[in-house]
Amino acid sequence: MEQKACIVIAIGGNSLIEDSRHITVAAQFDAARKTASHIVRLIQQGHRVVIVHGNGPQVGFILRRAEYARPILHAVPLDCCVADTQGAIGYNLQIGLYNEFRTVGMKYPVATVVTQVRVDEDDPSFRNPTKPIGSFMDEAEAHKLQAEEGWHIVEDAGRGYRRVVPSPRPKEIIELDSIRGLLDQGTLVIAAGGGGIPVVEAEDGLVAKEAVIDKDYAAALLARSLDADLMIISTGVEKVYTNYGKPDQQSLDRVTTAQLKELSSQGHFAPGSMLPKIEAIIDFVEATGKDGIITDPAHLSDAIAGLTGTYISNQG
């Protein structure tokens, strides 16, 4: 690959919380710095990088705090939770990247852009919310919040009740020009965190919606919009597998979008886990003719060199 390629990297929860038993702020800083060390290697190789990160656990923490504080403080709208985590996780990654750049003797600008993402108000998910957020609750509390807050509540596999919200597809990155400007000036940009803050276009301007956008779909849209040379989804596995976790598990090294669609139709990729990543990569590759990679943080550099990871293209 030529130097100075533009790469959009979507990093998952494992890049920020390595272990569910270690979720303190300090542990998250440590995890972010490890991820930063792998991204710094890409900058050393001459690539231009945009990072899109997940925020599911962090939004859950904010909502949990708000639940405990409900008797004395106002509720926190979901769009504000996403904005809060964009700033906090962006800071987390910025300090990790700064320190890693210092370790290798580099000074390189890093900036986080609080990012709004336009969705369609008539997206089907607004009529059928399915994305669980927040903590579990008992039936009495669920009915109370349903009546008082207008929340959509579902029973979750016998474990209790949870709030569900829409998960609409992203249509436009509102701050695209700012992101592109920073990137062109040689800045490593962190943007569209958590999939972006969902907004719709109204008569008097943008209006926030109580929804969650999948960060992989948002990363694919951002990569297309920036005309990126490569999209990478960094997740918890080195490669994508068929029959994952079974005795006949098999890794995918190089695969076409058509092959991925066929494997997806056979049920190889779990909804809410690998499936959105597969769909997002297919979206980017088919729309641009460029390539995509799925791998874990430690293998980013090797995957770009073609040594590992799952490499996705239009042609075999």
Side-chain angles (χ1 to χ4, degrees), residues 39-47 49 101 106 108 188:
I39 293 172
V40 164
R41 288 186 63 191
L42 305 187
I43 299 296
Q44 288 180 293
Q45 294 166 7
H47 302 302
V49 174
F101 278 126
M106 290 181 67
Y108 199 93
L188 193 165

Side-chain angles (χ1 to χ4, degrees), residues 67-86:
E67 289 168 11
Y68 283 123
R70 189 178 293 122
I72 56 174
L73 288 174
H74 59 79
V76 182
L78 190 53
D79 56 297
C80 292
C81 293
V82 176
D84 286 351
T85 57
Q86 285 187 356

